[in-house]
Every structure is written in structure tokens, then in C-alpha cells.
Amino acid sequence: MRVKAIVGVICLFGLVTAGCSSGDDSAFGENTIVVLDDAGTLTLIESETGEATEVPVSSGARSDFPAWAPDASKLAFTATEGGNFSLGVYDGDEVRTIGTEFPSFYNYFDPTSQVVGYLGNLRNSVGFGVADVEGGQASTIDSSQPYFFSWADDGTRVVSHSDGELSVLDTAGEELLSLSVSPLFQAPIWLPGGDEVVVALPAVEGSRLVVVDVSSGDERELVQADGVLALVLDPTGQRLAVVRRDRGGDGAVLQASTRGQASDPVPAGLFTIELDSGAIVAIDDDPFTLAPFWSPGGQLVLSLTVDDDEPGRWARWQVHDVSGELVVESDRMNPSRTVAQLLPFADQYAQSMTPWSPDGEAFVFAGTVEGGGGADGIHVQRIDESGGAIRLSDGVYAMWSPR
């Protein structure tokens, strides 16, 4: 295991409000940034000490697609070496490998931190498998293309969506429910604390965004909208961030409110909706807004938007509060190629990773910052400082641990 220093940049620049210590008293994974570099090396950087540790794999092996367990006790990743592949799970002491039928390109721990759901290419389709971390066994339980899914609280069921077909499956692959839904959204959301899921159903014009109880079949409409929808739930379970992309029409939100009251039209871009009241707040009307990620407290939302001064050349990460006020924006930057490939699926990734620090005071991103010499790197931006993100290390992808 290689341990190295990151020149104390986290401590020197005060990127973590909790302060920095000279010793390591925290449990594995807590307040830790995982960084992936071009060579396929995963490095864990502890925010409180600045100490960096490479995830130990054999020489010549490559690690990709990391995913933290919700309790930050484990890190899952795709391990490849030559023509062999497996799911790797690192707990701070050792890497355990679990054989899989196909190499995964997406990994997602269940809420209990005991099972990993994963997706990968399988016979001209996308395979969905589950791996029992403690048992060391994995099995393929479904396949379709495209494929999106969300875990239930207890880790025994998932809701999946593929091209207008919704299924509820148990981890043995038994289908418990099947429902036709709108193809104009991607990742469904299983709401915490019960049997309700958020999906989009077909409507005369566009889609109806609804909450469906998968046990009773009861549904509650939130909003109708034309266009393509991407949905991200805040950590408190109270609000959705919704990105709506036009399909060519004006695409206004047609009706909102769980009580059937009309709402003012909301343009393309990013808006939030309260699940209980149906209240909608426009956050950013830029039609090219991407990748909403909620802060841990659910009061701030991070998104990527095209820079107005030179559209098509530069982008910025922006943080808004739930009233729609801009809190901070990053310097002009371009995401790394690795991040750019994942952005179209950000609604799915938002269920399995976070760029936010656990205290909600900073976020991490990978890319090239204007004036940064043209090389991809990992940068940390505090929300109380406009611009001036600190370069942390080389790398093409990074995420913070969830606690």
C-alpha cells in the first residue's frame, strides 16, 4: 500500500471547516475524497489530514467506476487485469474481489452497505447484477437497454426502468411489479421509508411525473411536462431537482400541484418541486443545465451550466439555494473526458455518489480550469468563495465520501 502526502493543501487552504488534525482518528472512508487517474489508479485523500493512500491492487491491474458505501465503510470498484475482471471491494485493510459475469461500468451500493448493484455490457444489452459483499457472491438478475435503477431502503428490492418499461425486482431477479411508463425520463427514484417510487408516466402532451405506491398501485401526480426529464431526490426526501430538456416545442410545465391547482409555466432547465405541496421553484432556466447534485442538508443544489460569455467553449459549476438564489460558481472550466462521458447519466450517478463534502461546505470536481495549463486535475471549491477553486491533485474523476 502506497501512502503519500498531498502537500497539506486541504489543511493549508482550509477546505474543510472541521479543521485539520495531525493524526488519523477517523474511521476508514469518513470525509475522504476518492480520486481516479488516467492510469486507473484509485487514491483516497483524507480531508482532515491530507494523507493520500492508493487502493492496493496488483501491478498492471486497473481500477475504475468507484462507488462509496452509504456508511463510508467500503469502496467498490471495477477491477480489470488483462482479460480478467471482477468487482473489487476495499475496506481500508484489503481488497476483496467478487467474480462477475461481465465487467461493470456502473456500481451502486444498496442503503444497507451490504450489496452492490452493478451495470455492464452483456450480449448486446446492459446486464444488471447484484453482489453480496459479505458472501462474496454475485449474480446477473436482469438485462435490457438502456437500464436505470434505484434501491429500496432495505436493500431487498430495486425499481428499474428501461425504455418505457418499469419493473420492481427482488435481488433474486423475481419480478414483483411491471408497469408501462414514459420513455422520456431515465432513472426512477425509490423514496425512503416505504413503497413509493417517483416515475414519469405517459401523458397526452409529454409526461406526468407521479409518485406511485408499488404495493397498492395508488398514484399521486406532481407535475405534467413536455420534454425529457432527469430526476434527483434531495437527501431529506422532501424535494426533487428536475432537469427538463426541450424536444423542440416550448415545453412549459403544463400543470403542477398534488392538489390539482395550476402552476405558472416553468421553462426548460433546472427546477425543484416539493413532494408534499407540489410547490415549484425555478433554479436555472439554462436549457443546457446538467448534473444536479444536492448538498447533504438538502438546502443547496449543484449543477453544471454553459458559460454565457463563451457558450460551447466553457462551463461552470454553480450552487443555488432552494429559493433559486446563486450562492457560488466555479471558475470557467471544462469537465474531464471521463466526467463528460458520465454527464448524460448524472441522474443515475446522483443516487450512488456525491461531489459534496459531508459538511456541505465544499464540492470536488475533475476537469481543466481556465488558466490551469490545459491539464485535467481534481479541484475543490468552497461555497463561500466565488472562483478560486484549489487544485488538489492530478486525476480525471473524483467524489467525496457520503459521511
Side-chain angles (χ1 to χ4, degrees):
M1 180 186 307
R2 292 179 56 194
V3 178
K4 53 187 178 180
I6 302 293
V7 201
V9 292
I10 295 181
C11 298
L12 288 174
F13 291 94
L15 297 180
V16 179
T17 58
C20 297
S21 62
S22 57
D24 182 10
D25 298 323
S26 62
F28 169 74
E30 290 186 1
N31 208 356
T32 299
I33 298 172
V34 60
V35 173
L36 172 68
D37 68 17
D38 252 337
T41 299
L42 290 175
T43 301
L44 305 180
I45 303 175
E46 296 180 8
S47 298
E48 293 189 0
T49 65
E51 185 179 86
T53 305
E54 288 185 8
V55 174
V57 294
S58 60
S59 177
R62 181 179 177 92
S63 305
D64 286 294
F65 310 111
W68 283 110
D71 65 3
S73 66
K74 310 174 191 72
L75 182 76
F77 59 94
T78 304
T80 55
E81 185 173 7
N84 300 315
F85 51 84
S86 60
L87 182 71
V89 180
Y90 182 50
D91 62 5
D93 293 322
E94 63 178 357
V95 172
R96 300 177 60 188
T97 57
I98 302 172
T100 57
E101 184 181 359
F102 52 86
S104 58
F105 56 61
Y106 175 73
N107 302 307
Y108 172 14
F109 267 99
D110 82 309
T112 72
S113 301
Q114 299 303 314
V115 180
V116 179
Y118 56 93
L119 303 174
N121 294 319
L122 177 66
R123 294 188 288 274
N124 298 317
S125 188
V126 174
F128 171 47
V130 294
D132 178 355
V133 174
E134 291 302 316
Q137 299 293 319
S139 58
T140 303
I141 65 171
D142 199 12
S143 65
S144 190
Q145 190 173 3
Y147 205 99
F148 304 92
F149 72 101
S150 182
W151 281 104
D153 270 354
D154 60 4
T156 65
R157 295 169 295 168
V158 298
V159 57
S160 69
H161 173 225
S162 178
D163 198 25
E165 293 297 322
L166 187 88
S167 297
V168 175
L169 307 169
D170 64 21
T171 52
E174 181 179 354
E175 188 174 67
L176 308 176
L177 175 72
S178 179
L179 180 69
S180 293
V181 295
S182 171
L184 301 177
F185 86 113
Q186 294 186 151
I189 295 173
W190 200 304
L191 295 178
D195 290 330
E196 291 185 326
V197 300
V198 181
V199 299
L201 299 181
V204 176
E205 296 183 66
S207 305
R208 298 187 301 123
L209 189 61
V210 299
V211 176
V212 177
D213 188 310
V214 297
S215 295
S216 67
D218 294 341
E219 66 177 59
R220 171 167 54 93
E221 185 171 304
L222 298 174
V223 69
Q224 291 190 32
D226 195 6
V228 180
L229 306 177
L231 320 173
V232 178
L233 182 69
D234 88 323
T236 70
Q238 298 177 358
R239 296 182 182 89
L240 287 174
V242 182
V243 173
R244 193 188 65 74
R245 300 192 303 274
D246 272 333
R247 291 191 298 158
D250 59 9
V253 168
L254 303 177
Q255 181 181 354
S257 177
T258 55
R259 297 177 175 84
Q261 299 172 347
S263 169
D264 293 333
V266 175
L270 172 64
F271 64 92
T272 65
I273 180 168
E274 291 189 6
L275 293 178
D276 286 342
S277 69
I280 289 175
V281 176
I283 302 295
D284 189 344
D285 62 3
D286 186 334
F288 299 104
T289 297
L290 291 169
F293 291 99
W294 286 99
S295 66
Q299 296 301 308
L300 302 172
V301 61
L302 172 69
S303 61
L304 186 68
T305 188
V306 173
D307 185 72
D308 291 335
D309 295 332
E310 295 185 69
R313 181 180 179 189
W314 295 104
R316 294 181 190 266
W317 287 102
Q318 294 185 333
V319 175
H320 293 84
D321 64 21
V322 292
S323 71
E325 291 295 318
L326 179 66
V327 175
V328 70
E329 63 181 9
S330 73
D331 293 325
R332 297 199 300 185
M333 52 79 65
N334 277 316
S336 69
R337 180 176 297 181
T338 299
V339 172
Q341 291 172 338
L342 305 180
L343 285 174
F345 314 106
D347 50 340
Q348 179 70 68
Y349 275 85
Q351 299 198 40
S352 61
M353 62 82 68
T354 181
W356 283 95
S357 63
D359 63 7
E361 295 294 332
F363 62 90
V364 63
F365 64 90
T368 303
V369 174
E370 184 181 25
D376 282 336
I378 306 303
H379 305 266
V380 176
Q381 172 76 56
R382 285 187 60 88
I383 64 168
D384 58 3
E385 297 177 8
S386 183
I390 303 302
R391 183 183 172 93
L392 182 62
S393 70
D394 293 338
V396 297
Y397 180 76
M399 61 180 179
W400 228 300
S401 60
R403 54 182 293 180

